[in-house]
Amino acid sequence: MDVKVRGWHRDMGTHKIASHDLSDFRISDDAKKNIRWSAPGLFRQYGEVSVAWGQTLKFTGDYRMQIDFTQDDIFKLMKASYGRELDVDLLDKGFTVSEALKKKILSEIKLTDLTLGDLLGTASPQTAPQQQTGTVRPFRRRI
C-alpha cells in the first residue's frame, strides 16, 4: 500500500509519504486500534477495515491524498473484512461464482456421502430425530 501526496495549488510533484506491505500485517480485532509508533496495524471492526500507523509529516500547503492498493493488498483487506471462508453472503452482495470455481467445488463433492435430505437441503443435524429406546414385549397370544 502506497500513500502519495501531490501539491494542489502549487504542484511540486508527487511525494510518497508511506509505503506498507499489508501481507506482513496481522489482522487485529482491537476495538481501540492501538498501535506503536514503529509498528503499523490492520484492524477489523464492525464491517470496517482500517490501516493505521504513526508518522511525522512536515509538508506545507494543500495536498491531494491518494492511497494505492495492489491486488495482494485488496486480497488482504477482503480477508480482514470477510474472513477466510467464502460464504453465501458475498453472493447476496453482488459477487458471482465462475464456471471454473463451480466445477472445482462440484468435483470435491462425493454423492455417496450425501443423504437425500442433504441433496434437497432439508436435513440438518439439529433437526434429525433422536432415537428413543424402549422395551420390547412379545405379543400376547389368545388361547
Side-chain angles (χ1 to χ4, degrees):
M1 171 189 79
D2 293 332
V3 179
K4 299 175 184 176
V5 295
R6 185 182 78 213
W8 193 260
H9 293 292
R10 47 182 192 150
D11 192 354
M12 303 293 286
T14 301
H15 301 282
K16 184 186 293 187
I17 59 172
S19 180
H20 298 291
D21 184 8
L22 293 182
S23 63
D24 296 337
F25 286 23
R26 182 182 61 82
I27 300 169
S28 174
D29 292 325
D30 182 13
K32 294 183 179 181
K33 301 179 184 178
N34 290 322
I35 61 166
R36 290 186 304 246
W37 190 258
S38 61
L42 177 61
F43 302 96
R44 164 182 59 198
Q45 178 184 18
Y46 304 117
E48 161 183 297
V49 177
S50 303
V51 180
W53 68 92
Q55 180 176 342
T56 302
L57 294 177
K58 296 182 181 178
F59 293 104
T60 60
D62 299 325
Y63 287 91
R64 174 185 180 271
M65 305 297 285
Q66 175 178 330
I67 299 176
D68 295 325
F69 296 104
T70 65
Q71 284 186 335
D72 291 337
D73 294 339
I74 293 168
F75 181 70
K76 185 72 172 194
L77 291 171
M78 283 285 293
K79 281 189 354 184
S81 182
Y82 297 105
R84 296 184 53 88
E85 186 174 294
L86 298 176
D87 201 358
V88 178
D89 293 342
L90 290 177
L91 297 177
D92 294 340
K93 293 182 184 201
F95 283 91
T96 59
V97 179
S98 69
E99 291 299 321
L101 182 57
K102 287 179 189 176
K103 289 179 184 178
K104 174 74 174 169
I105 291 170
L106 290 174
S107 70
E108 295 180 2
I109 296 174
K110 296 179 183 177
L111 290 177
T112 57
D113 293 343
L114 299 176
T115 64
L116 185 58
D118 291 335
L119 292 173
L120 296 176
T122 57
S124 66
Q126 294 85 9
T127 61
Q130 297 180 0
Q131 295 183 358
Q132 297 177 354
T133 58
T135 58
V136 178
R137 298 184 202 167
F139 286 114
R140 289 189 346 188
R141 295 178 70 172
R142 291 187 177 184
I143 302 182

